[in-house]
Amino acid sequence: MASPPTLPISSQSNSSAGVASQSQPPISTPAFRAFMSRMSSSLRHAFAQRRPWAEMVDRSSMSRPDTLAEAYSRIRKNFSYFRVNYVTLIALALAVSLITHPFSLLVLFGLLASWSFLYLFRPSDQPLVLFGRTFADRETLGMLVVLTVFVIFLTSVGSLLISALMVGLAFVCAHGAFRLPEDLFLDDQESNSTGFLSFLGGAAASAAVPAVARV
């Protein structure tokens, strides 16, 4: 008995699926991986310079300043020494404010994700296509700027961030004004005064390379 004829299997569906998968922009681009790697290493290096919290809240080193000039001098010296602790406290105030307002947190995450995956870390050779329309880089940038202005200034997200930032800065200024800096070793602080936020410059530069290339 003859065997049934073998039907030819077309590879058109497989090839079309492969082309469709290749046409989708990858989420994890090299620029994004470089940004996250640099930010992670910079944060680890910065937190290694954190001062002990017990030293920061030592009650025997607290004293009311006599003049505003003395308070300003104390704030400047204490910030140079406790800068990592202070920035951590401000970030904690921002985090608590956002966690207690989940809607604002989701809106902010959505805004950051839009900037990251629609402009900053999107491959320059893959244009943005939404609803069947191709958007140029300048159009994408304009839409993101308008969206950012709307979110920050016309919703509760901006007021929430400003309020949390003011609370954190008020605590930092109060502690810096009342903490006596005489027992602090400040000789090695000037060269590393920007160590905690150094990742912003390098990471932002690595993120801006594809953006500048498009513009």
Side-chain angles (χ1 to χ4, degrees):
M1 182 177 182
S3 59
T6 303
L7 295 177
I9 300 176
S10 175
S11 60
Q12 181 179 2
S13 59
N14 296 333
S15 61
S16 60
V19 172
S21 62
Q22 293 178 359
S23 63
Q24 296 178 355
I27 296 178
S28 180
T29 61
F32 181 74
R33 290 196 298 268
F35 176 83
M36 295 303 297
S37 176
R38 184 177 181 85
M39 185 174 64
S40 177
S41 61
S42 299
L43 284 175
R44 286 195 301 267
H45 175 70
F47 278 107
Q49 302 176 1
R50 179 179 55 85
R51 304 301 175 180
W53 294 103
E55 182 181 5
M56 182 177 174
V57 297
D58 186 8
R59 296 184 61 182
S60 62
S61 300
M62 296 294 178
S63 175
R64 185 174 62 87
D66 296 330
T67 61
L68 291 178
E70 182 183 358
Y72 174 77
S73 177
R74 289 184 182 183
I75 293 174
R76 183 175 56 84
K77 293 179 181 179
N78 284 320
F79 184 80
S80 178
Y81 187 80
F82 293 112
R83 63 182 180 276
V84 178
N85 302 70
Y86 285 159
V87 175
T88 302
L89 289 175
I90 294 175
L92 182 62
L94 291 172
V96 171
S97 299
L98 290 174
I99 290 175
T100 54
H101 296 79
F103 176 76
S104 298
L105 180 62
L106 291 177
V107 171
L108 188 60
F109 273 150
L111 180 63
L112 294 177
S114 299
W115 272 100
S116 299
F117 299 115
L118 294 181
Y119 190 77
L120 292 178
F121 304 117
R122 179 173 55 84
S124 58
D125 57 342
Q126 296 181 356
L128 178 64
V129 180
L130 293 176
F131 305 106
R133 183 179 184 277
T134 302
F135 292 88
D137 292 323
R138 294 185 181 275
E139 294 176 332
T140 304
L141 179 61
M143 290 189 299
L144 290 174
V145 169
V146 172
L147 179 62
T148 302
V149 172
F150 175 80
V151 170
I152 298 299
F153 295 102
L154 299 180
T155 65
S156 60
V157 177
S159 60
L160 180 66
L161 293 177
I162 294 175
S163 300
L165 185 62
M166 291 297 104
V167 171
L169 288 176
F171 179 82
V172 168
C173 292
H175 179 272
F178 281 86
R179 177 65 163 82
L180 289 173
E182 281 76 12
D183 60 335
L184 304 180
F185 298 95
L186 301 174
D187 295 336
D188 59 337
Q189 298 304 310
E190 296 298 329
S191 60
N192 298 325
S193 59
T194 59
F196 185 79
L197 299 178
S198 62
F199 75 92
L200 289 178
S206 64
V209 169
V212 173
R214 297 193 200 100
V215 177

